[in-house]
Amino acid sequence: MNFAVENTRPSIMYTPRTPQMRERQRFNLSTKLDDEEIDISGLEDLLGQTWNIYAVSALFDLRQDDIHFKLYSKRLREEIASTLSHEDVSYDAKFSVIENIVPRPNHENNPAIKIEVLAKINETEKEKSLYQGILLSWRITQAESNIKNLIRLPLLLCRGTSTCIDAVHATITRMFDCLIIALPAKEHDLNWLIPIIIMTNKEQPAVSGEVQMVYTVPELPVTDTITVKFQAADLRKILSAIITNQNDEINVFLNREHIEIFFEVLHKQMLIIGGLKLGLCTLHRINLPGITIMENKMKIVNLEIMDNVLLYLNEKAFDIFHTVHIDI
């Protein structure tokens, strides 16, 4: 099967964007966009599972119809069978559109695509899932492009065995001429995600209980950590006091200044109450009731929080890969 386009492609130079190159200035915590209620019920299938998070560059020649999905499935199955060859094991692969995940912010964005790889040892046993991945665009408006057959689905959420994940991503990279890289939540990201999570739905907070911030110590193993604990209600009070100029409860924004002041207050509390001066320690993981985010892994059990975290991660993935210079 030939995945090449009919016309010669322009060469593309991807310009990765780091927090130092373009600092995040604001995050919208509003539940509405352009006075229209957003349906996020399709995200329910993502809840309560641990997902690996990846960023994906533009996909070329990905046709979203049954005929092409069958061809992609056949190609992926053959590649997986070749890479993970085992005696008496048969493999199957499936591409499909996820109908119940409505693209944000409107129906003009590309629909989410599900990719599955299954294995069966013999005819009597049930199929075992080796890989499940979801390609999606969440809230970022599709950028105009003069390149034919180009689709933007910046986020890839997946789970499965590490060998199968590597094999699937290598195959997708070749099939659609794209790049796939892990999208870890660095300290800068966790500094934003903690306020985003605890401020989701101020009237009926989405989380309560203990918030754990896990710090790693320079030159020590990653297992040697310092855990700082706060109550979510106390953190929410601090943030509410910092966000003093927003009287409109419908449109709530977190600004970079809010985040900086928030952590200045927390660091003073750590020093006064616990005698901790973290210095060069790095925030590595956050744990809240039902929520864990560390590196490029996350597990979330709340629908609204999943929505906000995907909004944040999609913007980060879009920033990395989809600000491009076209050299024709």
Side-chain angles (χ1 to χ4, degrees), residues 55-69:
V56 185
S57 67
L59 301 155
F60 289 92
D61 303 329
L62 196 164
R63 314 291 177 87
Q64 300 180 58
D65 57 71
D66 290 341
I67 294 176
H68 282 87
F69 275 172

Side-chain angles (χ1 to χ4, degrees), residues 263-280:
F263 275 93
E264 285 179 10
V265 172
L266 293 193
H267 290 161
K268 288 181 181 178
Q269 291 293 311
M270 294 175 194
L271 181 59
I272 294 171
I273 298 175
L276 287 175
K277 190 171 184 180
L278 296 178
L280 297 177

Side-chain angles (χ1 to χ4, degrees), residues 148-179:
K148 294 182 179 180
N149 304 323
L150 180 151
I151 288 178
R152 299 184 190 278
L153 294 168
L155 273 183
L156 171 57
L157 307 181
C158 71
R159 54 197 183 94
T161 65
S162 58
T163 53
C164 194
I165 288 175
D166 292 341
V168 171
H169 292 181
T171 303
I172 293 173
T173 297
R174 293 191 295 269
M175 288 170 67
F176 304 116
D177 198 14
C178 65
L179 295 174

Side-chain angles (χ1 to χ4, degrees), residues 21 48 59 75 86 98 105 108 118 128 149 156 178 185 189 193 204-205 238 243 285 318:
M21 295 171 66
L59 301 155
R75 168 76 179 273
H86 296 283
I98 305 178
E108 296 178 0
L118 305 169
K128 178 183 177 181
N149 304 323
L156 171 57
C178 65
D189 303 305
L193 288 171
Q204 297 179 340
I238 294 172
I243 307 173
R285 175 187 178 119
F318 196 91

Side-chain angles (χ1 to χ4, degrees), residues 4 57 88 120 144 177 208 263 275 283 297 316 322:
S57 67
D88 301 325
K120 182 186 288 188
E144 294 293 330
D177 198 14
S208 60
F263 275 93
L283 181 58
K297 296 181 183 295
K316 181 178 180 180
H322 297 269

